[in-house]
């Protein structure tokens, strides 16, 4: 059965030290769009991050505790044969998952027809890679870029969730087109979308003022009888960039957005523009692994903060922590 969809992560037990603390950032440097997962076979957490047009595509780090991270290499190291032959540039938004026993990474790249597309790659050498592209785009169209893939699995069914890049002026010059978050079932391997474009399921699009012209970067968990769809809104390079949430009783919706969105927003210096989160369960607690700009000029750092839920079942509103925080109760 597929593992490691968003929240289908091992519930890791008690902390080795109840007094352990950490401070943000947990990875200093320009490592945007962290796609994180816990891999039981390694007893470690893993994260891949955006590389843009750097020669090595998608840096990989691992951690035993979510706040001390070690560089492990790259999804597609420069010069290796596994990189996607269909891709030309703009390597964005990777996520690592174990799907039906395979080490899989979902990612974005611009194809040779100048269209942002979703890709997938497999590693037979372990989660640290290197990975081999499946040989073609997983999701692509001739009229609109497709970005920010994430994976969810439940009751033996795999799903891909992603975003239509309608805020790209090349596709929507007036910048008011709906940036829809789509869902489609996947095959058991996680490498084939089962629905044709006309049947892709729309979960949400931009509708709240704080979101500006777009929503993006989806991630789904299930908690307390609700599905929660975390997403980012507004411009990625703006202090207004933030994380919102919607919830539903069914994966297919209808989805209701939280009236107090965004739930993670710019607060005290040095961090601003928090977004593009993974959401991991550690024991009984939920945690954001996300990026935010650092005023020291180091780009988008990786940050870690706990999610708490209000009595009515919504995530509490917060901003990035800047003081030492109680560490996750990993106890690996």
């Amino acid at each position: 059965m597929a593992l490691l969809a968003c929240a289908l992560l091992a519930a890791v037990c008690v902390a080795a030290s109840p007094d352990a603390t950490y401070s943000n950032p947990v990875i200093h440097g320009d490592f945007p769009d962290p796609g994180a997962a816990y891999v039981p076979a390694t007893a470690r957490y893993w994260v891949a991050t955006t590389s843009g047009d750097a020669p090595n595509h998608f840096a990989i780090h691992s951690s035993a505790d979510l706040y001390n991270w070690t560089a492990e290499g790259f999804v597609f190291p420069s010069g290796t044969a596994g990189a996607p032959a269909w891709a030309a540039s703009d390597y964005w938004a990777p996520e690592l998952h174990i799907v039906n026993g395979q080490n899989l990474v979902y990612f974005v790249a611009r194809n040779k027809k100048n269209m942002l597309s979703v890709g997938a790659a497999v590693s037979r050498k372990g989660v640290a890679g290197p990975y081999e592209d499946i040989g073609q785009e997983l999701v692509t169209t001739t009229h609109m870029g497709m970005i920010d893939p994430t994976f969810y699995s439940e009751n033996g069914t795999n799903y891909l969730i992603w975003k239509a890049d309608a805020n790209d002026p090349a596709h929507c010059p007036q910048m008011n087109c709906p940036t829809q978050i789509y869902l489609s079932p996947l095959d058991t391997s996680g490498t084939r979308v089962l629905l044709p474009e006309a049947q892709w399921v729309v979960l949400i699009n931009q509708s709240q003022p704080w979101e500006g012209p777009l929503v993006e970067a989806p991630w789904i968990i299930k908690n307390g009888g609700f599905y929660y769809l975390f997403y980012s809104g507004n411009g990625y390079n703006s202090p207004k960039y933030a994380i919102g949430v919607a919830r539903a009783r069914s994966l297919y919706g209808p989805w209701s957005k939280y009236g107090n969105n965004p739930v993670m927003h710019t607060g005290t210096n040095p961090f601003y523009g928090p977004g593009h989160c993974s959401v991991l369960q550690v024991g009984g607690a939920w945690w954001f692994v996300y990026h935010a700009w650092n005023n020291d000029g180091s780009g988008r750092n990786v940050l870690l903060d706990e999610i708490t839920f209000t009595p009515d079942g919504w995530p509490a509103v917060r901003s990035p922590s800047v003081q030492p925080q109680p560490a996750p109760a990993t106890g690996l």
Side-chain angles (χ1 to χ4, degrees):
M1 186 176 76
L3 301 174
L4 293 178
C6 311
L8 299 183
L9 304 167
V12 189
C13 49
V14 295
S17 170
D19 300 321
T21 63
Y22 75 94
S23 296
N24 279 320
V26 294
I27 305 180
H28 187 263
D30 195 29
F31 295 100
D33 306 335
Y38 178 70
V39 179
T42 65
R44 296 182 70 81
Y45 298 89
W46 295 79
V47 66
T49 51
T50 283
S51 56
D53 291 329
N56 294 300
H57 303 318
F58 306 131
I60 298 174
H61 290 74
S62 77
S63 173
D65 54 24
L66 278 177
Y67 55 95
N68 293 296
W69 292 89
T70 300
E72 298 282 1
F74 300 90
V75 171
F76 302 123
S78 179
T80 57
W86 55 265
S89 63
D90 297 332
Y91 292 81
W92 299 348
E95 286 192 9
L96 299 169
H97 296 280
I98 308 299
V99 181
N100 206 21
Q102 291 194 108
N103 302 291
L104 223 68
V105 61
Y106 297 102
F107 63 93
V108 175
R110 189 177 300 276
N111 68 18
K112 293 176 180 177
K113 297 177 182 179
N114 200 34
M115 196 63 66
L116 287 166
S117 304
V118 173
V122 178
S123 172
R124 293 173 177 81
K125 297 183 178 180
V127 66
Y131 286 74
E132 183 177 348
D133 180 70
I134 62 172
Q136 61 186 10
E137 300 95 323
L138 180 62
V139 180
T140 191
T141 76
T142 59
H143 60 89
M144 181 72 66
M146 298 291 157
I147 68 171
D148 292 354
T150 190
F151 173 83
Y152 186 79
S153 185
E154 185 176 52
N155 299 326
T157 301
N158 301 326
Y159 300 91
L160 190 75
I161 304 97
W162 72 97
K163 172 217 171 170
D165 196 36
N167 53 289
D168 184 340
H171 305 308
C172 182
Q174 66 271 32
M175 294 291 287
N176 64 355
C177 299
T179 54
Q180 294 170 323
I181 303 294
Y182 287 118
L183 174 145
S184 172
L186 291 162
D187 70 356
T188 56
S189 74
T191 60
R192 185 168 65 89
V193 170
L194 296 182
L195 293 181
E197 181 180 352
Q199 296 178 25
W200 293 346
V201 179
V202 177
L203 303 185
I204 62 169
N205 56 40
Q206 75 271 33
S207 62
Q208 294 183 327
W210 72 272
E211 296 164 352
L214 64 97
V215 292
E216 63 183 17
W219 187 283
I220 291 177
I221 68 168
K222 191 175 185 181
N223 184 51
F226 282 101
Y227 297 91
Y228 290 86
L229 169 58
F230 293 89
Y231 65 95
S232 299
N234 220 294
Y236 80 96
N237 56 354
S238 166
K240 296 180 180 179
Y241 197 63
I243 298 170
V245 67
R247 72 182 184 184
R249 291 291 189 182
S250 165
L251 192 59
Y252 285 80
W255 291 86
S256 299
K257 292 182 180 179
Y258 188 27
N260 290 333
N261 274 337
V263 294
M264 174 66 80
H265 59 81
T266 297
T268 305
N269 286 338
F271 305 116
Y272 68 92
H276 208 116
C277 66
S278 303
V279 179
L280 307 186
Q281 188 175 26
V282 183
W286 294 94
W287 292 80
F288 281 130
V289 180
Y290 64 104
H291 75 228
W293 294 93
N294 193 326
N295 279 337
D296 68 4
S298 58
R300 286 173 283 177
N301 297 179
V302 178
L303 277 62
L304 174 72
D305 277 304
E306 188 173 0
I307 304 168
T308 58
F309 285 83
T310 64
D312 58 356
W314 288 102
V317 176
R318 63 166 303 154
S319 56
S321 65
V322 295
Q323 300 298 326
Q325 300 292 306
T330 51
L332 298 176

